[in-house]
Amino acid sequence: MQRVGFYPGSFDPITNGHLDIIHRALALVDRLVIGVGAHHSKSGLFSPSERLSLLKSCVEAEGNQGQIDLVTFDGLVVDAMRDHGARIMIRGLRDTTDYNYEMQMAGMNTTMAEDTQVVFLPASPSVRHIAASLVRQIAVLGGDITPFVPGNVAVAVAAKIKERT
């Protein structure tokens, strides 16, 4: 039986922290489905299709595209998991704040889908401090985000911010 993992998130923008979790999750599953949340009530920096495109270029640069599927979803994570044959949900943790929130979500998700296993992966120390929301704030204020995101993402963020001003 193939072990299929599902790593959901907004990925707005994708960060080196996200890539760290993706890389480490690949050691645990045979196939990893990365689900880009397309919540219509939230207005992000990038559209879901733009986030998917950025993710695709990052995955291709890492050379893991054979093990990874990229999808968008706009409903419950557990439904998206089922739709893609996954039973393992991958979640990254940076600190205890993430842990407390993720434990609540794990309880809710495993109640809705009892066959779901939630796996928490602690972020590597070198990327533990990175949050996409902070990356967006730094970029909007004209700061250098290159230590926190892949080069192509930094370029895309700068272009998107310039487009909006």
Side-chain angles (χ1 to χ4, degrees), residues 12-158:
D12 190 31
I14 186 166
T15 68
N16 293 336
H18 293 126
L19 293 176
D20 173 63
I21 298 300
I22 291 167
H23 175 74
R24 295 175 60 230
L26 288 171
L28 303 175
V29 298
D30 301 309
R31 185 167 62 95
L32 182 63
V33 180
I34 302 173
V36 175
H39 305 288
H40 303 290
S41 62
K42 291 184 179 180
S43 62
L45 185 60
F46 293 103
S47 71
S49 63
E50 289 170 324
R51 288 182 269 149
L52 205 60
S53 178
L54 285 169
L55 261 167
K56 182 179 180 187
S57 63
C58 291
V59 165
E60 287 174 351
E62 297 272 320
N64 296 317
Q65 60 267 34
Q67 271 184 279
I68 295 175
D69 293 327
L70 303 170
V71 301
T72 59
F73 70 98
D74 63 1
L76 294 172
V77 171
V78 292
D79 291 339
M81 286 180 64
R82 284 186 190 119
D83 291 346
H84 296 285
R87 292 183 46 213
I88 303 166
M89 184 185 304
I90 304 293
R91 298 301 296 160
L93 298 176
R94 292 171 298 200
D95 57 24
T96 57
T97 302
D98 284 352
Y99 176 79
N100 290 332
Y101 173 77
E102 292 296 340
M103 283 300 291
Q104 285 183 307
M105 292 302 295
M108 301 296 279
N109 286 322
T110 56
T111 298
M112 290 185 289
E114 292 178 359
D115 62 340
T116 295
Q117 297 297 318
V118 180
V119 175
F120 297 127
L121 294 176
S124 296
S126 62
V127 296
R128 193 164 288 153
H129 59 285
I130 301 173
S133 59
L134 295 176
V135 169
R136 287 191 307 271
Q137 284 181 322
I138 292 167
V140 166
L141 295 171
D144 179 14
I145 62 169
T146 58
F148 313 119
V149 299
N152 66 315
V153 174
V155 169
V157 168

